Amino acid sequence: MKTMTTFEKLLKTEKQKRIAKTLCQICNHPIGAKPYIMFEERYFHSVCLKKEDKQDR
């Protein structure tokens, strides 16, 4: 079992903070702590994608 080093933990925390500040490409609100999906280095709220899918039908 591999444990995370302090540096790895720091990198993971910084990445989570950066993603949380990133805006959803559909609703233009910050991702925050909501569930999200990444596609081609873009972030979308899971809920927003589901809404878009329903509107296309």
Side-chain angles (χ1 to χ4, degrees):
M1 180 174 171
K2 183 183 175 202
T3 59
M4 294 179 76
T5 65
T6 306
F7 180 70
E8 289 173 326
K9 288 179 185 177
L10 178 65
L11 288 177
K12 184 177 178 181
T13 306
E14 290 297 321
K15 182 178 179 180
Q16 289 172 340
K17 286 180 184 178
R18 187 172 14 115
I19 291 171
K21 292 179 184 178
T22 304
L23 299 179
C24 172
Q25 297 293 313
I26 297 172
C27 68
N28 292 321
H29 287 90
I31 295 295
K34 294 181 181 178
Y36 65 90
I37 296 174
M38 185 181 95
F39 178 72
E40 293 182 357
E41 297 184 22
R42 292 179 165 177
Y43 296 92
F44 305 93
H45 290 120
S46 299
V47 176
C48 293
L49 284 176
K50 290 177 185 174
K51 286 180 186 176
E52 287 289 314
D53 185 40
K54 287 181 182 177
Q55 290 175 358
D56 290 341
R57 292 183 181 180

